[in-house]
Amino acid sequence: MSHFTKSAVYKPDALIAKDVNAYLKAHQKKLLLRFITCGSVDDGKSTLIGRLLFESKMLFEDHLKQLELDSKRTGTQGKNLDFALLLDGLEAEREQGITIDVAYRFFTTEKMKFIAADTPGHEQYTRNMITAASTAELAIILIDARKGVLTQTRRHSFLCKLIGINNFILAVNKMDLVKYSESTFKKIFSDYNEFAKKIGIKNITAIPVSGLLGDNITSPSINTTWYSGSTLMNRLENLVTPKKPKSKNGLKMPVQWVNRPNSNFRGFSGKIVDGSVKLGEKVRILPGGTLSEVSKIFVSDRKVEQAKTGESITLTFKDEVDCSRGQIITAADQPIEVADQFESKLIWMDEEDLVPGRSYYLKIGTQTVLATISTPKYQINVNTMEHMACKTLTLNTIGVANIIMDRPIAFTPYEKNKELGGFILIDKIRNSTAAAGLINFALRRSKNIHWQALDITRKDRANQKNQKARVIWLTGLSGSGKSTIANTLEQKLNNLGYHTFILDGDNVRHGLNKDLGFTEVDRIENIRRIGEVAKLMTDAGLVVITAFISPFKLEREMVRKMMEPNEFFEIYIDTPLAIAEKRDVKGLYAKARTGELKNFTGIDSPYEPPENPEIHIKSDQLSAVEAADLIVKKLFI
């Protein structure tokens, strides 16, 4: 039996019966609260939201009945009746028995408008919960009164706090199934409060509820006379979130696009994420640091003299400047940090584990760069908040690691500005989100190390040798003939007068890479180092020939991006595995087959063939001399 009493909470608004337009105008001025419901599986999140929707729906039904009577009398039936109750999704979820994505529900009361995010409780869908929490002002943490505080309860609470939510309601649900036990409620609140203190949650309201029966949802329950606190709806309606003080910070606006409708107009559009801007103000464009002055400010098609945080605007400058999508316009005297290395908290969302040293896309605001993640410093135990040693991050784990990017970016720590300090990592092959990240701070070494400009350029060095620097990257299985072809190719190029150098896989592991093994992480680091060495050699103007298995597409692509355009040539030495095994003079395949040699490419470690190599050589059909002649013909003659 529900203990909801409409009249105790809501009074029909007479305005809606008199003037719908006036009512809708007043409705638009209501404050909006975005909140998230989260917790463990089957804690009753969807049922609770369904109850909130149902009881707010009853309010509108009263209004609509009155309006329908009046409209029949005045002949305005059907006019301005655009009300949506949005209940269909809940039924679909009940049929499936699981919330598999974030479901956003919209409802209103006399005082407030609400957007409620119903998030999945299953651990594998934590990424969906984070998506919803990123825009929420309050979190309702549901706990099944029969189960108490669970690991997923702690994980969701920690993540909500981590991304900046400061208001929490602890809804101890299904109280009817524990006979409305006061001691059970107090024990759960005590357990949760102890954990909350560890993660810095201070503003908690604990409420005993039954989403199914309506206890303490919109009116006090007769079954919990021992509880004298607020109902859930009352707490939602009267939540006072501190107004952000008017920002005294300088302008910060990520450039989303360059607006150029004609040759006489060049505007830079984006949303101000902090500060304000005025006509004539001096600004700085980061990460480059170019200075300019604001000549015009547009909000939509309207010219204005100033704009503030939250407004989407277009700026024009008094002079021609190099500014494009991904850069950030700041006040000239208050620039933000620029660095290419920082420490970050990572929330791992991918079923594929983090591979330290592998290249990912990092998207922060409107900027996208290449980034590699070092071995994590530690992983956070969501139950105890202990820092645990780890070598990788797995699905739904939270850790701290250093990140190195391929170029400097402008950013702020996440705690200062979410838009400029939060990012996602994207798997380059699958184009899927691998992790969400929160920047802690720039690493000191990124500020201490600066590129030293030199008078003699790489072009000067190549011209001195009368050649164009390039990298000839031979890849293929062990035994495919890479080293033999590389050696033959160098002889032919030497005879033609080219200045060359061979980087061979085995030779390099005797020196530079002798500390590396053959795990996936070590293989990635092996190729990264070789790529850096090859880049230095091209800076010297040399033709570099490499012979490495280099089994992973991502790492070969990483090396390609290190080089200048049209300077990296991937040569796929394609050999059937059976033939490669027959050529195995070192007996490596035999050891791998017996399990004596682990992580051997082609046996228990994968080889990812190039999809679009510059040259594809089938070494079972061409001799080493013929293969070298083909490379010379296609790339040097």
Side-chain angles (χ1 to χ4, degrees), residues 464-536:
Q464 185 186 51
K465 299 174 179 60
N466 195 31
Q467 64 185 32
K468 184 179 184 302
R470 62 190 73 188
V471 174
I472 313 302
W473 190 276
L474 277 61
T475 176
L477 293 172
S478 177
S480 62
K482 299 182 299 298
S483 295
T484 304
I485 294 172
N487 189 48
T488 305
L489 174 62
E490 186 175 39
Q491 292 179 47
K492 290 182 176 293
L493 292 177
N494 185 266
N495 291 335
L496 292 171
Y498 285 92
H499 298 259
T500 62
F501 194 91
I502 289 181
L503 292 171
D504 181 80
D506 283 351
N507 292 351
V508 170
R509 282 185 177 272
H510 279 87
L512 176 66
N513 291 347
K514 66 181 179 180
D515 60 321
L516 299 177
F518 292 90
T519 65
E520 183 177 8
V521 172
D522 282 352
R523 287 174 181 272
I524 291 170
E525 176 60 14
N526 182 54
I527 297 304
R528 188 196 68 79
R529 292 183 191 180
I530 295 307
E532 294 289 355
V533 172
K535 185 176 185 301
L536 289 173

Side-chain angles (χ1 to χ4, degrees), residues 183-299:
S183 60
T184 299
F185 171 74
K186 287 184 175 180
K187 175 66 166 58
I188 290 173
F189 181 38
S190 176
D191 292 345
Y192 183 82
N193 198 41
E194 183 179 348
F195 170 76
K197 288 178 181 177
K198 293 180 181 178
I199 61 176
I201 295 177
K202 298 177 181 179
N203 189 7
I204 308 172
T205 300
I207 306 174
V209 302
S210 170
L212 181 63
L213 300 180
D215 294 281
N216 292 323
I217 302 298
T218 57
S219 62
S221 169
I222 61 174
N223 293 308
T224 56
T225 53
W226 45 265
Y227 172 74
S228 59
S230 170
T231 63
L232 179 60
M233 182 66 82
N234 183 262
R235 178 65 180 133
L236 291 174
E237 285 189 323
N238 292 283
L239 176 70
V240 179
T241 56
K243 290 185 178 180
K244 292 182 180 179
K246 189 175 181 181
S247 177
K248 296 181 181 179
N249 298 330
L251 171 70
K252 298 177 187 65
M253 188 191 88
V255 178
Q256 293 180 332
W257 69 87
V258 178
N259 196 339
R260 184 180 276 175
N262 56 61
S263 58
N264 297 321
F265 182 89
R266 188 165 184 252
F268 305 95
S269 301
K271 179 181 177 181
I272 300 177
V273 298
D274 193 15
S276 60
V277 62
K278 297 180 181 179
L279 286 178
E281 184 175 342
K282 292 188 181 299
V283 296
R284 190 181 301 271
I285 301 166
L286 299 175
T290 304
L291 291 170
S292 191
E293 186 176 318
V294 176
S295 61
K296 294 177 185 177
I297 305 172
F298 294 89
V299 176

Side-chain angles (χ1 to χ4, degrees), residues 11 16 65 76 117 129 164 214 218 226 231 317 410 476 491 512 526 608 612 621 634:
K11 295 180 180 179
I16 193 171
K65 286 177 182 177
T76 58
M129 172 263 161
T218 57
W226 45 265
T231 63
F317 301 130
Q491 292 179 47
L512 176 66
N526 182 54
E608 300 171 354
N612 296 295
Q621 299 177 15
K634 288 197 172 186

Side-chain angles (χ1 to χ4, degrees), residues 346 348 352-356 360 373-374 376 391-394 401 425:
L346 289 176
W348 200 254
E352 298 286 334
D353 295 353
L354 163 68
V355 181
Y360 296 86
I373 298 90
S374 64
K391 293 184 178 181
T392 185
L393 294 176
T394 58
L425 293 175

Side-chain angles (χ1 to χ4, degrees), residues 107-120:
F107 66 99
T108 186
T109 68
E110 292 290 333
K111 292 183 179 180
M112 296 274 287
K113 293 184 292 186
F114 299 95
I115 299 177
D118 181 11
T119 63

